[in-house]
Every structure is written in C-alpha cells, then in structure tokens.
Amino acid sequence: MAVAELSTSCTKTHPSQLSLSSSSSSRFSHHFRRSFRPLPTTRNPTISCSVASDQVQTPIPVQAGDLKGKSECYGVFCLTYDLQAEEETKSWKKLINIAVSGAAGMISNHLLFKIASGEVFGPNQPVALKLLGSERSIQALEGVAMELEDSLFPLLREVSIGINPYEVFQDAEWALLIGAKPRGPGMERADLLDINGQIFAEQGKALNASASPNVKVIVVGNPCNTNALICMKNAPNIPAKNFHALTRLDENRAKCQLLLQLALKAGVFYDQVSNMTIWGNHSTTQVPDFLNARIKGLPVKEVIKDHKWLEEEFTEKVQKRGGVLIKKWGRSSAASTAVSIVDAIRSLITPTPKGDWFSSGVYTNGNPYGIVEDIVFSMPCRSKGDGDYELVKDVIFDDYLLKRIKKSEAELLAEKRCVAHLTGEGIGFCDLPEDTMLPGEM
C-alpha cells in the first residue's frame, strides 16, 4: 500500500510524540495512521506544528501484504496506539478485542456506544471493536464507524469492519454474536433453525481458527440456545463453558413483572428483586422461577400471596412480553436487548453479590440439577468477576417447576436433533413438538 507524507506534521512533547501520514485504501478514501511513543514526562506539555523536515518522523510504509488476512480499519480508527508503555502502566488496562456480528443492526446500534463509552468494561479499559457485517450491510457498517468516530470516545482505540468472520474475529477476546436471519412469512421453525444454524456453524469455525483461545461468546441471534450449541460444537478448541445464550432480557422482564404486580409499593424497586432464574430455552417454554426468587430478601411466594397469578399470568407475561412490545412499537426489542447484553457481560466481569445469582444459557454437562447433558440451557450462575462462572447449587424445586423445566428440556432436545448435521452428530431430523418461537424471531 502506497504511503504519501503530509506536508505538515504536529508533534506533542508530552505525553507522546505524534506522527501523521495518509494512505490510500481500496475501500475508504480517508485513512490516517498515527503512532504514539512515550517521551520523558515534562511539567508543561506543548504542541508545535512545523513543516521542517527535522520535526517530521519518517512514516513507515505499510505493504499490502501486511494487511493480508485482516479486516479493514475505518477512518480515524486506522490510527495505531502504543499502549504498552507509559499509558498502560498506571491508569489504563491492556486493550481488549471485542467482535460483534450483526454490527449494523438496531441492537448493535445501541450496544456499541455503551461499550465504547466504558459503560460495559469499565472507565479505564481501552477497547478495540471488530465489526462483522454482510455485503448488504457494509455501507451501513461504514456509517456506524463514522458515528463512533464522531462520538470521540477516549477508550475506543480501534475499529475494524469486514464481512469475513475469519478476519474480523482475529484475536477476539469477546464475541457478541447478534446477527441472524429473521423468520420470514411462511417459514417453518425447522427452516429457521437450519438457516441460522449454518451461520453459527461457520462463525464457530471462524472463532476456533482466529479468536483468542479463551474467547467468551454470547449468542444473541435466535434461536439462541441451539445456535450457541452449534457454534460451540464447531469450535472444539474453545472451552464449552465459554459459550452463553442470552436469556438475561427474559430475567429482566421477569423482575419487571413482579414489581408491576406489587405496584412498586413499600419502596420496592428493581435492585431489590434477587435470585431470579430463567430456566430452559429462549422460547415460550422458558420458565421464570418465582419459587427461588426473592423480593427484599423474602421469598416471592411470601410477598405475593396470589400464587395462581404467579403460576399463570406472571409466567405467560414474561414469555410473551416481546410480542406485546412488537404490537406497541412495531418492531422487536432493540434497546432493552442491548441493555441485557451489557448486564450479561457485567455479570461475568463483576463479582456476583453474595447470595444472589444471574441467568445465562450455558452448556449442561456436569450440571447438578439432573437436566439432560449436551444442550445449552438457561440456569442460575454465579461469577467471581473473572469472566468465568459456576452453577448455583442451593436452589429448590417443586413439582410445578420440574414439570415446566422438563418441557423446555424436551424442546431443546428436539431442536438438537433438527440440527444434528451442523453439530457433527449425523443427519438432522426435525420432530419439533409445537411452534414456540418467540415473536421477536419472526
């Protein structure tokens, strides 16, 4: 790639020295490359601009071969930053790479700015965003990158965009897999499982080949439980425990419905609802667990005496909340889904409060509940804040809860049989008992 020097150059004597050069690109018309090199601390930093040759650092040409196998950076985010010296040692952590698929969609449009602002990973955590789109969405993806540019987030150090998951997922430490095909008119649920399953099989292979060996993967694209299983099965080098299906939005909705029933009386608010679990599949067979949930430290069934409401209306409201929203809003949830992704990530990187837990769709092997193994099933989890989790053992069951859990388990086993050709387990055979697809998947 040819490099042309600018006619002027600016140098900043503290805390780093700056050099600028422009470069041509096959896709983008304005690229810049900047490198920061730490200099000894001075008391009064100054900025000077000059065309004098002795103040201009010679730019290092970037050969075309250097970018082989990499997604393209965008605009100001083609700047490269050296965070391995002065900046990193005290207030800044090591930069982390976050890959996002479906990055031009509505959910990502809310999520990316939360990540870039520091709301998700913290106020001293620099991030690199690696955005995956498609041929159809590449222009929209460029627009997303432009908005990220214009927002001037100090923590956002790099942005790259592309349509090849093998390139975009390179060295990713977090992969947020949002993009999936929506269910179209007349499309059978089995067809959607196959179409989206192929997407997540390919992305699993790409993660296996390119991402960090300990990458944490959160699958949002529906049907997310089975998509997470497919992705995991195609990424054998990544620990199975690192794959999650997003059920946090269901948990948040369940907490909301409990509080609405109480009409926010007696000063009860969201942060006083704890131990809420969503069991099972992200479908209308999901099981919001009011047996183990607590309000202000008390069991829900002691606070809400109308147990029939809990068993019938509460459960149905949580299961069908997305459909009600679509009727009101004209589209499926995006902002609240983005918030729930943030919640899911923060639950893994922040120690779980003592005695509490959170919901996530995780691999069932070794679970203490008797749930069948080798599926992805939403269960209660705790974390020490290191990105890992453990399943909660101190939960109770009654006949009502066990019956509901078994129904969701049976559905996930049927989905697994339907995508066996994508998980390396033979020929797929679909015998789905009924259509329990959530409205947001249509």
Side-chain angles (χ1 to χ4, degrees):
M1 182 181 293
V3 175
E5 294 185 25
L6 292 179
S7 59
T8 62
S9 174
C10 296
T11 60
K12 183 176 179 180
T13 60
H14 172 69
S16 55
Q17 190 168 347
L18 171 68
S19 66
L20 288 171
S21 68
S22 67
S23 63
S24 61
S25 167
S26 59
R27 185 179 296 278
F28 306 117
S29 58
H30 298 292
H31 278 200
F32 297 96
R33 182 161 299 280
R34 175 172 60 185
S35 61
F36 283 84
R37 297 179 176 82
L39 293 177
T41 302
T42 59
R43 190 173 185 83
N44 297 307
T46 59
I47 299 177
S48 61
C49 292
S50 172
V51 296
S53 60
D54 61 349
Q55 290 187 348
V56 179
Q57 292 186 326
T58 303
I60 301 173
V62 179
Q63 302 300 327
D66 295 340
L67 297 179
K68 187 177 180 180
K70 296 183 179 180
S71 53
E72 294 191 71
C73 54
Y74 188 85
V76 71
F77 296 114
C78 286
L79 315 181
T80 59
Y81 297 82
D82 180 8
L83 294 179
Q84 298 179 359
E86 190 173 273
E87 285 189 39
E88 183 182 346
T89 55
K90 294 187 179 180
S91 62
W92 292 74
K93 297 179 181 179
K94 182 181 178 182
L95 180 141
I96 57 173
N97 295 305
I98 304 155
V100 182
S101 75
M106 289 297 296
I107 295 172
S108 295
N109 195 42
H110 293 278
L111 176 64
L112 294 174
F113 295 85
K114 292 178 179 292
I115 295 173
S117 70
E119 179 180 338
V120 182
F121 292 95
N124 61 346
Q125 176 61 70
V127 297
L129 288 174
K130 306 164 82 66
L131 309 182
L132 178 65
S134 64
E135 288 284 0
R136 282 180 55 189
S137 69
I138 191 65
Q139 283 196 331
L141 204 55
E142 292 175 18
V144 172
M146 291 170 66
E147 284 213 87
L148 287 167
E149 278 187 310
D150 295 344
S151 298
L152 302 177
F153 293 115
L155 292 169
L156 183 57
R157 310 304 269 188
E158 297 176 17
V159 169
S160 58
I161 65 176
I163 61 174
N164 185 338
Y166 289 84
E167 298 173 0
V168 175
F169 293 166
Q170 188 70 42
D171 300 322
E173 293 154 281
W174 286 84
L176 312 178
L177 306 184
I178 300 172
K181 182 179 178 63
R183 187 177 184 182
M187 183 184 291
E188 295 293 331
R189 188 168 178 224
D191 296 332
L192 186 66
L193 279 165
D194 181 61
I195 292 169
N196 279 336
Q198 292 180 50
I199 294 172
F200 285 90
E202 187 65 18
Q203 291 185 357
K205 293 172 184 176
L207 288 167
N208 197 62
S210 304
S212 164
N214 197 36
V215 61
K216 304 296 188 294
V217 184
I218 298 180
V219 175
V220 181
N222 286 315
C224 63
N225 292 62
T226 298
N227 285 342
L229 181 70
I230 294 168
C231 191
M232 182 199 76
K233 292 286 188 177
N234 284 275
N237 295 336
I238 299 169
K241 198 175 183 182
N242 288 16
F243 289 82
H244 297 258
L246 184 74
T247 57
R248 187 56 174 266
L249 179 57
D250 303 311
E251 177 187 325
N252 290 352
R253 286 170 170 170
K255 290 179 177 179
C256 174
Q257 292 305 311
L258 288 176
L259 289 167
L260 288 174
Q261 175 67 4
L262 292 172
L264 301 181
K265 288 187 273 189
V268 178
F269 206 61
Y270 302 110
D271 59 353
Q272 293 174 307
V273 180
S274 63
N275 306 89
M276 173 55 70
T277 307
I278 298 296
W279 296 91
N281 198 6
H282 179 64
S283 74
T284 56
T285 68
Q286 65 178 265
V287 188
D289 179 2
F290 54 81
L291 181 64
N292 288 282
R294 292 179 171 268
I295 297 175
K296 298 184 76 172
L298 297 173
V300 165
K301 293 181 75 172
E302 292 183 15
V303 179
I304 298 177
K305 304 295 185 181
D306 187 350
H307 295 173
K308 184 178 180 182
W309 178 86
L310 288 169
E311 292 181 359
E312 296 177 3
E313 190 173 346
F314 164 70
T315 298
E316 184 176 348
K317 279 188 173 182
V318 176
Q319 293 170 339
K320 297 183 177 180
R321 178 74 166 181
V324 174
L325 186 145
I326 290 172
K327 289 180 180 178
K328 300 287 187 182
W329 191 224
R331 58 174 174 77
S332 59
S333 58
S336 58
T337 302
V339 169
S340 71
I341 297 170
V342 173
D343 291 341
I345 296 171
R346 291 198 58 78
S347 289
L348 291 169
I349 63 175
T350 307
T352 306
K354 186 176 180 180
D356 201 0
W357 58 69
F358 59 91
S359 303
S360 189
V362 295
Y363 196 44
T364 53
N365 280 18
N367 79 86
Y369 315 117
I371 294 168
V372 68
E373 297 199 338
D374 203 33
I375 57 176
V376 171
F377 200 89
S378 185
M379 298 181 284
C381 305
R382 288 191 180 112
S383 178
K384 297 178 182 178
D386 56 359
D388 203 351
Y389 67 91
E390 60 183 19
L391 294 176
V392 177
K393 296 180 181 179
D394 49 335
V395 294
I396 58 175
F397 297 91
D398 61 10
D399 290 342
Y400 172 87
L401 183 57
L402 286 172
K403 182 180 178 180
R404 296 281 183 138
I405 287 175
K406 284 298 178 184
K407 182 178 180 181
S408 201
E409 177 188 276
E411 179 180 60
L412 282 167
L413 285 171
E415 289 186 12
K416 180 186 174 186
R417 290 191 293 272
C418 198
V419 299
H421 59 297
L422 299 173
T423 59
E425 298 175 9
I427 300 173
F429 171 72
C430 290
D431 58 343
L432 300 172
E434 57 181 308
D435 195 337
T436 61
M437 194 71 71
L438 289 174
E441 299 171 7
M442 298 181 185

